[in-house]
Amino acid sequence: MARRSFCPWRSSQSTTLYGNIDAAGLRHGSVPPTLEDPSFSHCASKQPHLYIVFQHFVDDQLEHENPNGNLYTGVPGSGGILETNNTLEHPTGPEYQLVVGEGTYVLKDDLHLATPPPHPSDAPQPNNNPLATTIGPPTAGTKLSIVTFAPRRRPSQNLFRITTAQSAHSNLPQRIEEEVHSPKSDAGSTANGFGSASYYTQTPGFGDNSPALNVVVPVKNKKEGKLKPKNNIVKSNSSYVSRVIPHESLQKRLAERSQDGLMVFANVNRAFMWLDLASDIKTENMTKVLFTKAHALCHDINPLTKSSTHLDIIMGFNTSDMIWYEPMSQKYARLNKNGQITRSPIQSILWIPNKEHLFVAAHMDGTLIVYDKDKEDAAFIAEETAPAENGHTNGQQKYGFKVQKSVQSRDQKTNPVAVWKVSNMRINGMAFSPDGQMLAVVCEDGTLTILDYINERVLDVYRSYYGGMLCVTWSPDGRYVLTGGQDDLVSIWSLADQELVARCVGHASWVTDVKFDPWRCDERNYRFGSVGEDCRLLLWDFSVGMLRRPKVQNRGSISTAVAGNRKESQATVNRIRSNSSRAPQSDDVDGVEAEAEIVHAVDSMRDTAVLPPVMSKAADPHPLCWLGFEEHCILTSCKDGHIREWERPKDEASSDGARNNSIGSAGKV
């Protein structure tokens, strides 16, 4: 039955609130109105005092129909708000299939997460000026953090093997076939969980040379070798957290579940949900955390500390707060509380590779800040002894990198650990290289910045065709970086050649996420995907032979070697460059290297290779915002809270020949 528009004080059949609701049909079996109905929002903006009254009535009318507690309370003294459940559908038909060379991907599950209504204390404010451009708080679509406790299987392609048959006989240069005995040869995309602890420990890590940061402080409440937050989120009386709803059989579900099944953490407006995609009852949340007004915009799981009994999750909010959350014990800690360090919202957040306690947050004011989850916060003032601005003017626009607090600072007793000003505009995304040595950052000003974050310096700055860049990812071998943005393009950047090698044309709106598929990559061929606000999922194939090949590197992965091997080439015309990888000189001010990053000119469309997609499909009726590749499926999510699982072809393992043929026929560039 269709939902009826409802406004309790507009009914002419009765002068009482209950009579109006009865006239709307609520007591006669029809679907009740909700606080999300446009008509109710319009009326509530005119008479907010009736907002809470309606909540009381909905609670009274529906309590007998929801004995399992699908109503959550708001502020003390207010009534309940109607809360719906997650729903699961299994659509079928040609429109729910992705046909590619290796076979057909079929939509297995469409899980729709319940979107919570606004908190009672966050009632809509009246707007007397319909032309006003009031900017609301930042929001984000549903994004996922995925974890599995069983050891991840390496993709079968040779790129991820320690030794291969081809590595002893092939004439390929060392840059394409990884070093045979390299500790990094098991590298995969850290976003997909393939980076192991041993993968990072062979190279210097962030802050390893900082005496003040490496002071060992004894911890008393450390249990099972892992430090947990000190506050219980279920029993919390903080006004920041509205309510926590753990599953009544949480421990039983954890004990009985398969260790190789996927668990997902997802944000939906002011809700943060923990789901088990391998369960038969995947619609039932493992735990659901409802915040009062804050929306989680980003989150990440620390792969170094994960186990079947412990997970470290960090969340960034539009209020600038961060929460370190351990879901197994339901403990949490809040950082940058009330904007003590900065009041800028957080667009992206990541754990630093091979670090149990350090993470970096990308704030919307263009600042990257490194935090320690175990330290207290303190008001931040840029240090006077910090290195001078590392940048220069290119025309009318200035690309500067300022170290406002260095990781080498003597003051490391409190947060922040380090502060870097990357841009004067919003940072939209960031990604660590597979070897954990470099950080790629994309900003609203249309720049891709490659940072040697361990040494706190800029290596390269690339620019979009036009508009801001929104997403970034690395190839599993660290040779290429992909970006997507407001120019509707996916761009492929070669770090060894320090240039744009191809633009991928196929989207009709902004590109919101890009990822490599490590199960479809090998030494020469790459598969990646992209999603956008045009609601489409695009798959792309390219090979080394299709693109201009990067320069030969002698040892190690490409991303590690870029900083130390900058050679002039014909591609350097019209670029402003300097030797930013030189060693510090004795005459540098305060012993800090005086360097300038390389700002690359924008390549014209005429002079750049164009790559067409091998598959383009409308994957959701709503704008897509996240994409992930797993061993047995492709996952997508949209701004409306849909999580779709696309099952890989059953005979994919035997169709490598078809895949290679599709790569060869994808288009010559």
Side-chain angles (χ1 to χ4, degrees):
M1 185 175 294
R3 193 183 298 270
R4 300 187 182 184
S5 300
F6 169 70
C7 185
W9 47 86
R10 287 184 177 178
S11 173
S12 60
Q13 299 182 25
S14 176
T15 58
T16 65
L17 177 63
Y18 280 34
N20 295 329
I21 295 179
D22 183 69
L26 181 61
R27 292 185 176 179
H28 298 287
S30 65
V31 178
T34 69
L35 303 180
E36 298 171 281
D37 286 344
S39 58
F40 184 83
S41 300
H42 173 75
C43 298
S45 64
K46 294 182 176 298
Q47 301 191 38
H49 62 278
L50 291 176
Y51 192 86
I52 302 299
V53 179
F54 178 67
Q55 296 164 21
H56 278 290
F57 180 79
V58 172
D59 190 11
D60 294 339
Q61 293 295 312
L62 300 179
E63 185 174 6
H64 67 282
E65 299 179 3
N66 295 272
N68 295 326
N70 291 330
L71 298 170
Y72 63 87
T73 59
V75 294
S78 67
I81 299 179
L82 181 61
E83 177 70 4
T84 58
N85 293 320
N86 303 331
T87 59
L88 181 64
E89 296 181 354
H90 308 283
T92 58
E95 63 270 27
Y96 302 108
Q97 298 177 354
L98 311 176
V99 180
V100 200
E102 67 270 17
T104 302
Y105 295 75
V106 179
L107 180 60
K108 177 184 177 183
D109 294 324
D110 181 3
L111 178 62
H112 189 194
L113 306 182
T115 302
H119 191 269
S121 63
D122 196 21
Q125 299 298 320
N127 183 10
N128 297 323
N129 182 5
L131 300 179
T133 55
T134 304
I135 300 177
T139 59
T142 299
K143 299 180 181 180
L144 309 183
S145 291
I146 300 176
V147 63
T148 181
F149 298 127
R152 301 298 293 268
R153 298 178 184 176
R154 293 192 186 100
S156 60
Q157 283 73 21
N158 295 331
L159 180 64
F160 298 91
R161 294 178 182 173
I162 297 177
T163 57
T164 68
Q166 291 88 342
S167 62
H169 307 288
S170 175
N171 294 324
L172 291 176
Q174 196 81 19
R175 63 179 177 80
I176 292 182
E177 298 223 25
E178 296 187 26
E179 187 178 353
V180 175
H181 301 291
S182 170
K184 304 178 183 63
S185 57
D186 65 338
S189 170
T190 55
N192 286 284
F194 290 96
S196 62
S198 62
Y199 171 73
Y200 296 109
T201 54
Q202 305 297 325
T203 52
F206 178 76
D208 288 351
N209 298 323
S210 174
L213 191 62
N214 291 318
V215 175
V216 178
V217 179
V219 181
K220 296 181 179 180
N221 60 337
K222 197 170 184 180
K223 185 179 180 181
E224 298 179 356
K226 296 182 177 67
L227 183 65
K228 296 182 182 294
K230 60 182 179 180
N231 302 315
N232 190 311
I233 195 170
V234 178
K235 301 178 181 179
S236 174
N237 57 1
S238 170
S239 59
Y240 197 81
V241 179
S242 174
R243 188 180 178 190
V244 180
I245 312 173
H247 194 276
E248 57 184 6
S249 303
L250 177 60
Q251 297 304 320
K252 181 180 179 181
R253 290 185 65 180
L254 288 173
E256 295 178 352
R257 71 179 303 275
S258 173
Q259 293 297 299
D260 58 356
L262 296 179
M263 287 204 308
V264 166
F265 293 86
N267 60 291
V268 185
N269 286 5
R270 63 186 187 94
F272 186 73
M273 302 180 185
W274 176 16
L275 300 157
D276 184 2
L277 295 187
S279 172
D280 294 334
I281 51 173
K282 61 181 67 178
T283 57
E284 297 184 13
N285 301 309
M286 304 283 278
T287 299
K288 182 174 184 178
V289 183
L290 292 157
F291 299 95
T292 306
K293 296 182 180 181
H295 290 199
L297 304 182
C298 49
H299 38 90
D300 191 35
I301 300 173
N302 194 337
L304 185 65
T305 61
K306 72 171 184 177
S307 70
S308 59
T309 59
H310 182 91
L311 287 174
D312 285 319
I313 302 174
I314 193 70
M315 293 178 270
F317 292 85
N318 59 359
T319 58
S320 77
D321 298 71
M322 289 161 288
I323 283 185
W324 166 31
Y325 177 47
E326 204 294 296
M328 306 294 186
S329 61
Q330 298 294 352
K331 297 294 184 67
Y332 85 108
R334 187 173 163 195
L335 295 89
N336 193 33
K337 186 175 181 179
N338 298 322
Q340 187 173 5
I341 296 174
T342 177
R343 293 187 177 275
S344 177
I346 301 166
Q347 181 68 22
S348 180
I349 197 165
L350 293 173
W351 291 97
I352 292 181
N354 198 37
K355 296 296 178 182
E356 294 186 7
H357 53 95
L358 297 179
F359 61 91
V360 58
H363 292 269
M364 291 188 180
D365 61 356
T367 305
L368 290 175
I369 301 182
V370 179
Y371 297 88
D372 188 327
K373 67 179 178 61
D374 301 328
K375 292 183 178 179
E376 299 293 332
D377 298 333
F380 170 70
I381 300 177
E383 296 181 352
E384 296 180 358
T385 58
E389 179 177 311
N390 176 15
H392 60 270
T393 302
N394 182 24
Q396 298 297 321
Q397 194 169 8
K398 191 165 187 175
Y399 300 93
F401 176 77
K402 298 179 182 178
V403 180
Q404 298 180 346
K405 181 180 180 180
S406 172
V407 67
Q408 303 296 333
S409 172
R410 297 180 180 179
D411 181 16
Q412 294 292 355
K413 295 182 179 179
T414 58
N415 283 321
V417 173
V419 180
W420 308 315
K421 185 70 173 179
V422 179
S423 172
N424 291 325
M425 300 183 71
R426 182 174 69 186
I427 297 176
N428 287 323
M430 58 181 174
F432 284 104
S433 61
D435 62 2
Q437 299 295 295
M438 300 166 67
L439 180 64
V441 182
V442 290
C443 301
E444 191 73 14
D445 59 9
T447 59
L448 162 65
T449 303
I450 306 299
L451 290 174
D452 176 6
Y453 72 99
I454 295 177
N455 297 307
E456 300 180 298
R457 60 179 182 172
V458 173
L459 300 178
D460 290 285
V461 176
Y462 304 93
R463 292 183 288 172
S464 66
Y465 186 62
Y466 66 84
M469 289 189 181
L470 302 178
C471 51
V472 62
T473 192
W474 294 75
S475 63
D477 55 7
R479 300 214 316 262
Y480 298 101
V481 171
L482 298 179
T483 59
Q486 297 172 355
D487 52 11
D488 304 348
L489 301 172
V490 176
S491 302
I492 306 175
W493 311 88
S494 169
L495 296 187
D497 270 345
Q498 298 174 300
E499 64 179 351
L500 174 69
V501 294
R503 288 192 176 103
C504 307
V505 179
H507 280 285
S509 187
W510 293 1
V511 181
T512 53
D513 199 13
V514 289
K515 295 282 175 56
F516 277 91
D517 182 353
W519 283 272
R520 301 294 304 173
C521 294
D522 55 33
E523 291 104 327
R524 289 185 176 274
N525 305 311
Y526 298 85
R527 160 69 59 82
F528 63 91
S530 60
V531 295
E533 294 197 353
D534 55 0
C535 309
R536 303 190 75 85
L537 165 64
L538 274 65
L539 297 179
W540 316 77
D541 288 339
F542 77 92
S543 64
V544 174
M546 295 166 61
L547 306 175
R548 286 173 287 181
R549 299 174 66 167
K551 294 182 177 65
V552 175
Q553 304 294 335
N554 292 327
R555 293 180 62 85
S557 67
I558 290 295
S559 60
T560 308
V562 168
N565 189 12
R566 297 186 179 276
K567 299 180 181 179
E568 296 292 337
S569 67
Q570 295 180 354
T572 61
V573 180
N574 295 329
R575 294 183 187 166
I576 304 172
R577 69 166 50 240
S578 67
N579 186 12
S580 61
S581 60
R582 68 182 179 86
Q585 304 295 325
S586 58
D587 57 349
D588 286 339
V589 178
D590 295 330
V592 179
E593 180 181 0
E595 62 182 51
E597 75 269 24
I598 299 173
V599 180
H600 302 263
V602 179
D603 296 297
S604 67
M605 293 291 289
R606 180 180 56 187
D607 299 331
T608 306
V610 175
L611 185 70
V614 297
M615 193 283 302
S616 177
K617 187 80 170 184
D620 201 284
H622 307 91
L624 294 166
C625 57
W626 186 89
L627 171 67
F629 291 94
E630 294 298 324
E631 182 178 2
H632 302 292
C633 66
I634 300 176
L635 294 172
T636 60
S637 66
C638 72
K639 293 187 176 181
D640 194 54
H642 288 266
I643 300 175
R644 291 194 166 188
E645 181 178 345
W646 304 83
E647 192 173 27
R648 290 184 184 268
K650 298 293 185 182
D651 56 346
E652 183 178 359
S654 61
S655 61
D656 287 341
R659 177 177 63 87
N660 294 332
N661 292 335
S662 68
I663 292 175
S665 61
K668 304 299 182 182
V669 295

